[in-house]
Amino acid sequence: MIVGRKKEIKELNAALESCESEFIVVYGRRRVGKTYLIRNAYQKIFFEHTGVANADKSTQLSRFKKSLKESGFLDCRNIKSWYDAFDALAEVIKRSDEPKKVIFLDELPWMDTPKSNFVSALESFWNGWASARTDIVLVVCGSATSWIIKKILKNHGGLHNRVTQKIALKPFSLKECEEYCNYRKFEFDRVQILQLYMVLGGIPFYWKSVQRGLSAAQNIDNLFFKEGAILSDEFEALFYSLFTNPEPYISVISALSTKSIGLLRQEILDVTHLSDNKTFVKVLMELEECGIIQKYQTIGKKVKFAFYQLIDNYTLFYFHFIKNRVTDDENFWMNSMDTPVVNTWEGLSFERVCFQHIKQIKNALGIAGVVSNTYSWQVAKNEEHRGCQVDLIIDRKDNTINLCEIKFSRREYSITNDYSQDLLEKKEVFKQSTNTSKSVHLTFITTMGLKHNVYWNDVQSEVTLNQLFE
């Protein structure tokens, strides 16, 4: 069963109907399900090969020879280079009368060992032979996103503009995780699915490790805090698979983990002491491409004042509870429920989940078709007003702004008299600070909804957890 991925499957299947050969790149972070998608979308793959991690050119070619032999090419004695390897692949293709031949090269970056001329050979295969035919669907993928972007998608040589389709595979939404839970027959309510999502994000491999019959809290302990837990050392594996030189990337996200609203570009440079050069620009761009961070403009600010915010659920959890862990308690999460540190983290993490479900929030507000910008917002205290922060702002083209308060709660959230005054003051500070002429609506996004007390009428609209699952 493939959960979700309807758009991606449609794009992959369309290549089979094309009257030309197609070159498809599927990329995304480690464990997001690239290989699973391709193998299940294409029920019949003509030739498949997977690169070998941390292997030299000789080993890579040896394994490629084995894949060729399995496809019927038995004479591999003269394959001494990648040019020879792709020439042999062409011979295998020529011998087939299949109307469409899906060629799947997995973990492509691993094949590109130093001085191997792998990319040049791939260019020669595609440009000099395969692209002139009408019967080939070449699908390549890999978790090393920086390599994929640099060597394939933004190649300035022979592969420039040769890719006919690129698929950036994203994590599951809450709804897709619920579909997966139903498929696996997990008995989780939506709050428990949300709790797991705040830790695991929508990464299919992480959800595959969830065990039936255990609560969300028990599963979190099993995945992270038990002896030999499968995800306890995932952080380094994640970033070393995504990036060839992960240190500057880790430095950036370490800085961003310290401030929930995010940091300005210059603030990141100040904290990390990285050089302001093309490499730094590449680091930010690739972290954004992978969905680890997001870039957003705040109202009334120029482009150079854009904020960068850490939004990856697993990475946020790692920095809060794994990186500097000081206890060996294997039931740490169970024993920490409802403590201030976990409650604070849940509030922050729920904000990130809402940013990942802006489409669902806009649907719930009835503004799905309205062009808008979304961001967090804050203003420092001055002589005219106190400082304040807004979790999420939806700045709409229909002359309206939603000031969204995001609250994680296990019961209906009740607005008190003091909080009501605080909200109204925050609204006025926002209007004064931004000098906006738009209508400003107070909006609440909560797990269990708002209690309809006397202060409820101060709120123009509300969104609940159930609507995030739509």
Side-chain angles (χ1 to χ4, degrees):
M1 175 184 176
I2 301 181
V3 172
R5 310 306 195 199
K6 293 180 176 61
K7 176 176 177 289
E8 292 83 358
I9 292 171
K10 183 178 180 180
E11 291 172 349
L12 290 170
N13 286 333
L16 296 176
E17 305 299 325
S18 174
C19 59
E20 299 177 346
S21 287
E22 300 289 335
F23 186 175
I24 303 172
V25 176
V26 181
Y27 66 106
R29 58 167 288 171
R30 167 183 163 94
R31 310 296 203 187
V32 80
K34 301 180 293 298
T35 303
Y36 186 87
L37 168 68
I38 295 164
R39 286 176 176 168
N40 285 273
Y42 291 130
Q43 294 299 312
K44 189 173 184 180
I45 295 177
F46 178 77
F47 177 83
E48 178 175 348
H49 175 72
T50 301
V52 184
N54 304 314
D56 59 14
K57 175 185 173 182
S58 176
T59 303
Q60 299 290 354
L61 284 172
S62 174
R63 301 308 295 173
F64 197 86
K65 290 177 187 178
K66 183 175 185 296
S67 297
L68 285 169
K69 288 180 179 179
E70 290 173 351
S71 297
F73 190 81
L74 302 180
D75 185 10
C76 295
R77 290 170 296 177
N78 296 322
I79 297 178
K80 298 178 180 179
S81 71
W82 279 113
Y83 289 99
D84 296 335
F86 281 109
D87 285 345
L89 176 58
E91 287 299 319
V92 173
I93 294 171
K94 288 177 185 177
R95 296 175 185 179
S96 172
D97 57 2
E98 291 287 338
K100 280 288 183 179
K101 303 156 188 74
V102 176
I103 311 300
F104 177 30
L105 302 181
D106 199 3
E107 296 299 355
L108 202 69
W110 291 349
M111 302 180 212
D112 186 31
T113 54
K115 300 180 180 180
S116 66
N117 291 319
F118 172 78
V119 175
S120 296
L122 177 63
E123 290 174 359
S124 177
F125 170 75
W126 180 255
N127 294 336
W129 188 77
S131 63
R133 298 173 65 93
T134 61
D135 59 345
I136 295 174
V137 179
L138 174 61
V139 186
V140 304
C141 78
S143 296
T145 304
S146 60
W147 189 97
I148 292 287
I149 293 172
K150 179 181 178 181
K151 297 292 185 74
I152 305 295
L153 297 179
K154 294 189 176 181
N155 185 290
H156 295 296
L159 289 179
H160 180 66
N161 285 339
R162 298 296 185 177
V163 172
T164 60
Q165 183 68 261
K166 66 176 184 177
I167 298 175
L169 201 60
K170 303 297 184 183
F172 284 160
S173 65
L174 280 168
K175 178 62 176 176
E176 289 166 331
C177 287
E178 183 177 51
E179 290 175 6
Y180 180 77
C181 288
N182 291 338
Y183 169 67
R184 293 282 303 277
K185 300 189 184 302
F186 294 150
E187 292 295 335
F188 295 137
D189 61 24
R190 284 183 166 179
V191 172
Q192 289 201 74
I193 293 174
L194 171 63
Q195 289 172 323
L196 283 167
Y197 196 91
M198 291 193 295
V199 176
L200 305 177
I203 305 303
F205 178 83
Y206 299 167
W207 283 84
K208 184 180 178 181
S209 301
V210 172
Q211 294 184 36
R212 188 169 58 176
L214 302 181
S215 68
Q218 286 176 304
N219 269 293
I220 292 170
D221 275 328
N222 279 357
L223 292 170
F224 292 94
F225 301 108
K226 298 289 187 184
E227 184 177 355
I230 191 170
L231 296 181
S232 61
D233 58 355
E234 171 69 7
F235 182 81
E236 285 195 0
L238 170 62
F239 284 92
Y240 276 83
S241 69
L242 284 174
F243 310 111
T244 306
N245 175 30
E247 285 75 16
Y249 300 86
I250 294 173
S251 181
V252 168
I253 64 166
S254 297
L256 293 176
S257 71
T258 64
K259 196 170 183 181
S260 62
I261 197 170
L263 295 172
L264 295 168
R265 187 177 186 278
Q266 187 58 51
E267 290 175 326
I268 298 172
L269 288 167
D270 292 340
V271 174
T272 61
H273 305 294
L274 294 172
S275 298
D276 189 359
N277 53 25
K278 290 182 179 179
T279 299
F280 180 67
V281 172
K282 181 171 76 76
V283 167
L284 293 177
M285 181 199 73
E286 291 179 358
L287 282 170
E288 193 174 3
E289 283 270 4
C290 293
I292 304 295
I293 69 173
Q294 71 168 357
K295 177 183 179 181
Y296 68 88
Q297 292 292 127
T298 191
I299 190 167
K301 296 292 186 181
K302 297 180 180 179
V303 174
K304 69 177 181 178
F305 292 109
F307 278 86
Y308 293 87
Q309 188 178 51
L310 177 60
I311 60 168
D312 180 67
N313 306 59
Y314 166 78
T315 306
L316 280 164
F317 185 78
Y318 170 82
F319 277 106
H320 274 81
F321 299 106
I322 307 296
K323 184 174 185 291
N324 298 312
R325 186 182 175 195
V326 294
T327 176
D328 292 328
D329 183 3
E330 292 193 343
N331 297 308
F332 169 76
W333 198 249
M334 287 281 290
N335 294 330
S336 300
M337 299 298 291
D338 291 324
T339 60
V341 65
V342 169
N343 290 340
T344 298
W345 172 81
E346 286 178 329
L348 171 63
S349 188
F350 185 47
E351 288 177 21
R352 296 296 184 270
V353 172
C354 290
F355 270 100
Q356 293 157 354
H357 290 76
I358 294 296
K359 178 181 177 181
Q360 287 81 358
I361 291 171
K362 290 182 65 176
N363 281 338
L365 294 173
I367 57 170
V370 179
V371 176
S372 62
N373 293 317
T374 57
Y375 41 78
S376 298
W377 179 84
Q378 67 176 1
V379 63
K381 180 180 180 180
N382 60 31
E383 294 179 355
E384 297 181 2
H385 55 71
R386 66 177 181 84
C388 66
Q389 178 177 328
V390 179
D391 300 329
L392 169 64
I393 287 175
I394 305 176
D395 187 2
R396 297 154 44 179
K397 287 292 186 180
D398 61 349
N399 209 39
T400 304
I401 293 175
N402 293 88
L403 254 59
C404 302
E405 289 285 296
I406 301 174
K407 298 296 179 184
F408 179 89
S409 175
R410 291 176 176 81
R411 58 191 64 85
E412 279 188 329
Y413 191 84
S414 180
I415 300 175
T416 64
N417 177 55
D418 289 345
Y419 188 31
S420 175
Q421 295 303 312
D422 182 67
L423 288 170
L424 295 175
E425 185 179 354
K426 182 181 291 190
K427 180 178 175 180
E428 288 306 311
V429 169
F430 174 81
K431 292 169 73 172
Q432 292 173 18
S433 299
T434 60
N435 198 30
T436 183
S437 60
K438 295 184 176 183
S439 299
V440 179
H441 292 184
L442 281 176
T443 298
F444 262 74
I445 306 173
T446 63
T447 43
M448 309 304 291
L450 284 175
K451 186 173 184 178
H452 289 202
N453 61 16
V454 67
Y455 306 109
W456 173 74
N457 285 327
D458 293 337
V459 178
Q460 296 295 312
S461 52
E462 60 176 305
V463 178
T464 65
L465 176 61
N466 283 339
Q467 290 169 304
L468 297 185
F469 276 82
E470 293 177 358

